[in-house]
Amino acid sequence: MSTDAPFNAPTKPESTLGKRLRNFLIVIVAIALSAALFLGLRTQTTSVSLTELDAASTPLEVAVSNNKPSLVEFYADWCTVCQKMAPDIAELKQQYADKLNFVMLNVDNNKWLPEMLKYRVDGIPHFVFLGKQGEGIAEAIGDIPRSIMASNLEALVNGSPLPYAQMSGKTSKFSAPVSTNSQDDPRSHGG
């Protein structure tokens, strides 16, 4: 026989206790890291959606009659530029909520077809700046930087000329459905 430790030697009680303690600590650390990761991901996904902005927006009928200037945004849920701008619009809404109406009109809703035709919406996002009496003052189309939009809103609230009126940025193409009249023109004699 050799002088090495016997093959079936009993394990030391300290090593079993040490392994259990180590495994227990690994489990606790894994649970803590999982919880931190879960909570970290939840707090980073607080981006505002267009649907939430629409639900919290002022109805158009109220906006044109409550003697406050308004920002009307024509948008669509599928519009990537609209989605990109949503957090900026949400921040601006928080900043100007007491001085300004924010109106969201979804171009996929045929209810807004008269307004789309009135403001000639052919790209989205399409912003219309309305005065206190609901009159159109200026328009901006496309991806507008937050600082430029804030300058326009500040001027709108103060009743001064908008510094960046009639702007056009990157847009998503949109074609408004056109209503056709099925009646023949009486001058066409049915031709």
Side-chain angles (χ1 to χ4, degrees):
M1 285 202 129
S2 73
T3 58
D4 292 336
F7 183 71
N8 290 332
T11 58
K12 296 180 183 175
E14 297 98 3
S15 65
T16 304
L17 181 62
K19 286 181 184 178
R20 286 185 177 173
L21 183 60
R22 183 193 61 182
N23 289 345
F24 179 72
L25 288 174
I26 289 172
V27 168
I28 294 298
V29 169
I31 290 171
L33 288 175
S34 297
L37 181 63
F38 175 75
L39 293 174
L41 290 176
R42 286 197 75 183
T43 58
Q44 289 186 0
T45 57
T46 58
S47 180
V48 67
S49 73
L50 292 166
T51 306
E52 292 168 339
L53 279 175
D54 187 8
S57 75
T58 306
L60 181 62
E61 302 79 30
V62 173
V64 297
S65 64
N66 68 359
N67 292 322
K68 284 171 58 175
S70 303
L71 173 66
V72 178
E73 179 182 355
F74 290 92
Y75 77 99
D77 293 325
W78 49 263
C79 170
T80 56
V81 178
C82 302
Q83 294 166 1
K84 176 186 171 284
M85 289 189 67
D88 288 340
I89 297 298
E91 287 179 26
L92 291 168
K93 182 176 182 198
Q94 273 189 326
Q95 185 177 351
Y96 291 98
D98 56 335
K99 306 172 195 170
L100 192 68
N101 298 307
F102 284 81
V103 180
M104 301 287 291
L105 302 180
N106 190 332
V107 296
D108 290 332
N109 185 343
N110 286 337
K111 173 183 179 181
W112 305 119
L113 183 59
E115 287 77 12
M116 287 184 274
L117 294 173
K118 176 180 179 179
Y119 296 111
R120 297 181 183 163
V121 176
D122 61 358
I124 51 175
H126 185 113
F127 299 96
V128 179
F129 299 89
L130 301 177
K132 290 181 178 183
Q133 306 305 315
E135 72 282 5
I137 294 176
E139 297 181 27
I141 302 171
D143 187 3
I144 311 299
R146 184 180 187 280
S147 59
I148 290 176
M149 185 64 80
S151 296
N152 276 344
L153 294 180
E154 191 64 36
L156 185 63
V157 166
N158 294 329
S160 52
L162 275 59
Y164 302 102
Q166 299 295 337
M167 282 196 62
S168 290
K170 184 178 177 185
T171 65
S172 293
K173 290 295 176 196
F174 170 73
S175 296
V178 179
S179 175
T180 57
N181 191 352
S182 61
Q183 290 182 338
D184 289 337
D185 185 350
R187 293 172 282 178
S188 69
H189 301 289

